[in-house]
Structure formats: C-alpha cells, structure tokens
Amino acid sequence: MSKVISAHAVSVDGYITGRGARPGQGLGDGGMLFDWYSDGDTRSRVFDFFKLSEPSARVFDSLAGRVGAIVAGRNTYEDSERFGGGSPHPNAPLFLVSHRPAPELTERQTLVGNVEDAIAAAREAAGGKDVGLMGGGVLASALRAGLVDEVVLHQVPVLLGGGRSFFRELPSHVRLSLIEAVAAPGVTHLHYSVAGNPVA
C-alpha cells in the first residue's frame, strides 16, 4: 500500500520560509533553504534541473521516485505561483486542499475541501506510489488525522528567526523513529517514520 510522506527543506529553528513569503517570492528571505538543490555536481534523475551533491542526490531521488501524487495547501499553492498550472513534481498530479474556489486550476490540479479526502483521492491517482505532502498546514492536518507515515527534514544549518513554521500546533505528541540520517554539503537529511497515531 502506498505511504503518505512529507519531505521539506527546513531551518534548524523549524521554518520552511523566511520572513516576507508571498506570491512570487514563496520563500521570503529564506532562499538559502534550497541552495543545496543546485550546489552540487550530480544531476537529479527525477528533477533534471537540480544539481545536488552525491549524497543529497541519492536521498532526494530515492524519495522523489516514490511519489505518484502531491497534496498541497492553499498558502503553498499561492506562494508558489500556483505551480505554473502544473505540480511541484514533474510526474505527479496535484491535489489542492482549500475551502475557497480556485478557478485557475488546470487539468493536472484538483481542488479538494479537506486533507482526508485529498489524500484518499491522491492515493487513487498515485497508482500504488506514495503521496507527498507539501506545506505545514497540510502536514499538521494529516498528522492530526493519523494519516502520515514518514517525515523527512532536509535540515539546513541556518537559524532564520522567523517566517512560516513547518510544524503547526498539534493536539498531542507525535512520536517519530529515525530511519536514516545523511550528512551532506549544506544540509542534513533526517528521515523519520511516524510511530503510530499521535500519542499524549
């Protein structure tokens, strides 16, 4: 059965954007969170415009190759300029979680009212591959619903001091088990499994 995974570049103090994130500048002043995507000499097999270090390429491609559909929240969608009418993944359709109409959607994008239904639809579209989550709000909602199997933090050694926090408030603790930690130039890849449903 497919898994639900969330993988995101994050600062050491837990931000996925810097201050001032907005449409056209989705990372605000936190652009260095993605420097490792282009600071290497190994071209990604999944995203051919990324050139990563060898250890980062191995981790990134292993995860990206598993994904068959993406679920994203409205803030991520708007700040990423609606993914240019496509998806943040070259081979995976996008399911947008939002209660507001989105008339600009294209054939690769589907509007769904809540994260549970979005994940169910994404699983069906993924054809046995995994569902990737994008955005802190979507991740928090999916964690609350007990639907997340794995969390990957591409942790960049910087303290941003502000911006959009990756982990929103949750009603209880969520225990994680470390699967793998890979140190790479400019980033440490921390791969966790979610140890069952949220527990207090």
Side-chain angles (χ1 to χ4, degrees):
M1 182 167 167
S2 68
K3 292 185 176 182
V4 176
I5 64 174
S6 176
H8 218 297
V10 61
S11 67
V12 171
D13 52 348
Y15 292 101
I16 57 172
T17 77
R19 296 175 180 89
R22 60 191 180 278
Q25 193 170 354
L27 295 175
D29 66 0
M32 74 286 295
L33 292 177
F34 287 89
D35 286 350
W36 61 275
Y37 279 54
S38 58
D39 281 353
D41 56 8
T42 303
R43 192 171 299 280
S44 168
R45 297 186 317 273
V46 181
F47 290 71
D48 61 7
F49 46 90
F50 290 166
K51 292 190 75 176
L52 309 105
S53 69
E54 187 282 325
S56 286
R58 178 172 50 82
V59 170
F60 180 85
D61 284 346
S62 173
L63 292 166
R66 294 169 46 183
V67 172
I70 296 287
V71 174
R74 191 62 178 257
N75 284 339
T76 301
Y77 175 74
E78 296 294 350
D79 287 349
S80 301
E81 299 183 272
R82 302 168 185 165
F83 301 112
S87 168
H89 191 291
N91 306 315
L94 172 71
F95 292 82
L96 171 63
V97 180
S98 181
H99 297 293
R100 291 180 283 130
E104 68 281 353
L105 291 176
T106 68
E107 67 280 352
R108 290 197 68 206
Q109 302 173 332
T110 302
L111 181 66
V112 187
N114 62 67
V115 75
E116 293 89 348
D117 290 344
I119 288 174
R123 278 191 197 275
E124 186 173 339
K129 297 187 102 176
D130 292 342
V131 173
L133 304 179
M134 282 196 71
V138 160
L139 174 60
S141 296
L143 284 168
R144 280 193 291 267
L147 295 174
V148 182
D149 297 298
E150 297 176 15
V151 175
V152 180
L153 304 178
H154 304 298
Q155 191 179 71
V156 176
V158 63
L159 300 170
L160 290 179
R164 189 172 293 145
S165 177
F166 190 26
F167 293 100
R168 309 292 176 87
E169 187 171 335
L170 296 168
S172 58
H173 297 168
V174 177
R175 299 196 186 279
L176 305 175
S177 297
L178 185 65
I179 296 172
E180 182 182 40
V182 177
V187 62
T188 300
H189 306 283
L190 301 170
H191 187 173
Y192 297 95
S193 63
V194 178
N197 291 328
V199 294

